[in-house]
Amino acid sequence: MRLQNTELMHVEAELRAPVASAQLVRFHFDKPINTLMQDDGNYRLDLCLTPRPQNARACYPNRWNPSRYERIGNLFVVPPGEAMIARSDDCGEQSSLVCQLAPEPMRKLFDTKLEWTDKRLLAGLDIRNANIQGLLLRLAQETKHPGFASEMLVELIGAQLAIELSRYCSDSGESNVAGGLSSWRLRIIDERLREVDSAPTLTELAELCRLSVRQLTRGFRASRGYSIGDYVAESRIEQAKRLLATEQSVKAIAYTLGFSSPSSFCYAFRRATGETPGQFRQSLLKAH
């Protein structure tokens, strides 16, 4: 996968194996992103380790209307043979684990060629599969601190990723999206969650969307494939990551985000990221 403006990308560590490669990458954006990612024959999985720039979104220009941009989540995949334009509304730095996965293992798992439908392309921009994320986090750890038989470990994780990604793609292709939310309702939800404020209640979101809570929860799951409660919780953690990059105290951040106490915030943050807020802040400081 080749990027325009490659001078904005710095590879901090790398491991390679025949089936997969892993890179710890730091991006520096001195202006809002507008980058074309061009295919080199592999799957590209990008798991952000620090918050993405605000309102990160993407378009597949060869497939979609040029004005159609969809939200990018913590983890996205760009399949072989595709070009993707990524955009954002702000600049700064962001770190990711970038995994290049050879297509052959996935081809063997399907009787026919995997078709990247519109539904699958959209699902690939925001992958919330715990198994895939867990494998990539293990890959990031090994890339940062390689040990005995690192290449073999990358190969084994790459094979597991091929299986999990194949399952995810298969499920995305079969899921029923009837009854999903309209694009303007999804946009309103995303805009509300980008506000640095207490987490919205389901009642508030339902009122903004002019729906009942039941219609909202069912429609959101049909559109995105996961619950709106999980989405709100994850969005709050992402807001926390952004605020931890500032000078605000952990206590102030906890109450800003609507947690009942700093301890409940620390518990939720560690459960979601594997680090305490203090440890995450230290890792940000070391990276600069």
Side-chain angles (χ1 to χ4, degrees):
M1 180 69 67
R2 299 183 301 279
L3 280 71
Q4 289 179 342
N5 305 323
T6 52
E7 69 276 11
L8 303 179
M9 184 180 78
H10 174 65
V11 178
E12 299 181 329
E14 183 175 21
L15 285 175
R16 288 189 173 274
V19 169
S21 67
Q23 295 178 323
L24 289 175
V25 178
R26 176 165 293 277
F27 299 97
H28 176 75
F29 307 110
D30 55 6
K31 57 184 178 181
I33 305 167
N34 188 9
T35 299
L36 174 66
M37 299 182 181
Q38 295 182 319
D39 167 65
D40 62 0
N42 294 323
Y43 288 90
R44 173 193 170 96
L45 293 119
D46 183 309
L47 175 67
C48 64
L49 303 174
T50 58
R52 294 197 189 281
Q54 287 279 8
N55 197 21
R57 57 202 187 277
C59 173
Y60 285 98
N62 299 329
R63 299 284 210 104
W64 295 350
N65 184 298
S67 63
R68 179 184 176 186
Y69 278 81
E70 301 287 353
R71 177 185 177 275
I72 298 175
N74 285 345
L75 168 60
F76 69 85
V77 61
V78 182
E82 299 293 344
M84 188 184 87
I85 299 174
R87 288 183 176 174
S88 74
D89 289 346
D90 65 358
C91 51
E93 292 193 347
Q94 185 239 311
S95 294
S96 285
L97 182 280
V98 176
C99 174
Q100 300 275 0
L101 188 64
E104 286 76 14
M106 287 188 64
R107 287 178 186 149
K108 294 178 181 178
L109 295 171
F110 285 89
D111 294 332
T112 58
K113 182 180 178 181
L114 174 62
E115 181 183 358
W116 278 89
T117 61
D118 181 84
K119 192 185 302 182
R120 284 184 174 136
L121 289 173
L122 182 59
L125 291 180
D126 189 8
I127 299 176
R128 302 200 175 209
N129 181 286
N131 293 331
I132 297 175
Q133 291 199 18
L135 288 168
L136 289 171
L137 287 172
R138 179 67 185 89
L139 202 54
Q141 182 182 19
E142 187 66 23
T143 305
K144 189 174 184 179
H145 302 290
F148 173 72
S150 285
E151 182 177 327
M152 183 181 296
L153 184 60
V154 172
E155 190 82 353
L156 292 171
I157 292 176
Q160 289 179 280
L161 280 169
I163 294 171
E164 294 295 347
L165 189 58
S166 297
R167 290 178 175 178
Y168 179 81
C169 292
S170 180
D171 291 343
S172 298
E174 295 174 358
S175 60
N176 181 11
V177 296
L181 298 182
S182 60
S183 58
W184 72 266
R185 288 189 168 106
L186 292 171
R187 186 171 61 252
I188 282 177
I189 293 171
D190 287 338
E191 288 173 352
R192 172 61 181 88
L193 291 176
R194 282 199 295 270
E195 297 175 8
V196 181
D197 200 349
S198 58
T201 63
L202 290 180
T203 300
E204 179 188 349
L205 292 177
E207 290 175 351
L208 287 172
C209 292
R210 304 174 195 168
L211 297 170
S212 69
V213 170
R214 186 178 183 183
Q215 289 173 319
L216 173 70
T217 54
R218 285 186 173 183
F220 190 90
R221 182 177 288 278
S223 295
R224 295 277 174 87
Y226 43 84
S227 75
I228 191 170
D230 289 344
Y231 185 52
V232 170
E234 183 177 305
S235 297
R236 190 154 61 154
I237 293 300
E238 289 305 302
Q239 287 284 13
K241 289 179 181 180
R242 295 183 188 281
L243 292 174
L244 285 167
T246 70
E247 296 182 355
Q248 287 193 52
S249 68
V250 171
K251 181 178 180 180
I253 292 171
Y255 289 125
T256 295
L257 295 175
F259 286 91
S260 59
S261 66
S263 60
S264 64
F265 166 56
C266 291
Y267 175 79
F269 191 88
R270 184 166 190 172
R271 184 176 59 181
T273 66
E275 295 181 306
T276 66
Q279 290 170 333
F280 180 81
R281 176 169 272 169
Q282 284 300 315
S283 67
L284 290 177
L285 292 174
K286 289 178 182 178
H288 287 76

